[in-house]
Amino acid sequence: MKFRTLSRIVAAAFIAGSTYAAAPAAYAEDAPQPAAEQPAQAKSPFDEKVLEQHVMATVARFEKGDIDGLQAEATTELRPHLTAEQISGAKAEYAPKWGARAGVGKPLMTAGKEGDKWYVICELAVGYKATAVVYRLTYDENMKLAGLFIR
């Protein structure tokens, strides 16, 4: 009787083990393709050093209230929104007078493709004497300012 019970347990273990071992092969079609077979992602057309220079120039124009300079570097879709009233309203939302720039954080950048157009989003924390803000600037593939958000 013990031999019969033992043989049943061993047989059940073999059946369960072979089912477990065969299961990965059954789902191989659903598994992601190996990295070598996946198509390579397109490389971003943005240069990090050039981008940092553009970000700092845009921040300097914003600080000075250089509406003409901001509009010159902006896309045609953004230009109507870059008015003196918008810029002064954005500044007043945080502090009446910001004071001198006290410090600048490390810029964070991420690039992506929407349809057939490339965009890059840059975030930069800047501290002033009276307040601190985070600029979120978006540039298109031609390095035109496509978005300006301050928080």
Side-chain angles (χ1 to χ4, degrees):
M1 182 114 143
K2 289 184 178 182
F3 182 71
R4 182 183 248 174
T5 305
L6 184 60
S7 65
R8 286 182 183 164
I9 292 173
V10 170
F14 280 128
I15 292 170
S18 64
T19 303
Y20 178 74
Y27 298 110
E29 293 175 3
D30 297 338
Q33 298 296 327
E37 295 178 19
Q38 291 180 349
Q41 292 184 356
K43 185 169 172 14
S44 162
F46 301 103
D47 179 24
E48 189 174 329
K49 297 290 182 195
V50 172
L51 204 52
E52 284 184 33
Q53 292 172 352
H54 273 272
V55 168
M56 292 310 296
T58 302
V59 168
R61 287 184 189 102
F62 181 84
E63 291 170 347
K64 294 175 187 172
D66 182 10
I67 307 304
D68 294 332
L70 287 170
Q71 287 183 346
E73 75 167 321
T75 60
T76 55
E77 294 86 8
L78 185 61
R79 284 183 191 144
H81 304 286
L82 292 174
T83 63
E85 295 81 27
Q86 289 286 339
I87 300 300
S88 61
K91 287 181 178 180
E93 189 172 324
Y94 296 98
K97 292 191 177 192
W98 289 21
R101 189 188 306 170
V104 177
K106 182 180 179 201
L108 303 172
M109 302 174 196
T110 183
K113 198 171 186 181
E114 187 176 301
D116 61 340
K117 295 186 178 188
W118 280 94
Y119 292 94
V120 64
I121 301 170
C122 307
E123 282 199 356
L124 180 69
V126 179
Y128 298 95
K129 188 173 181 180
T131 189
V133 296
V134 176
Y135 293 93
R136 182 178 293 161
L137 307 169
T138 305
Y139 295 93
D140 66 5
E141 56 196 0
N142 299 320
M143 293 306 295
K144 291 286 191 178
L145 184 64
L148 172 64
F149 179 73
I150 301 163
R151 57 183 171 116

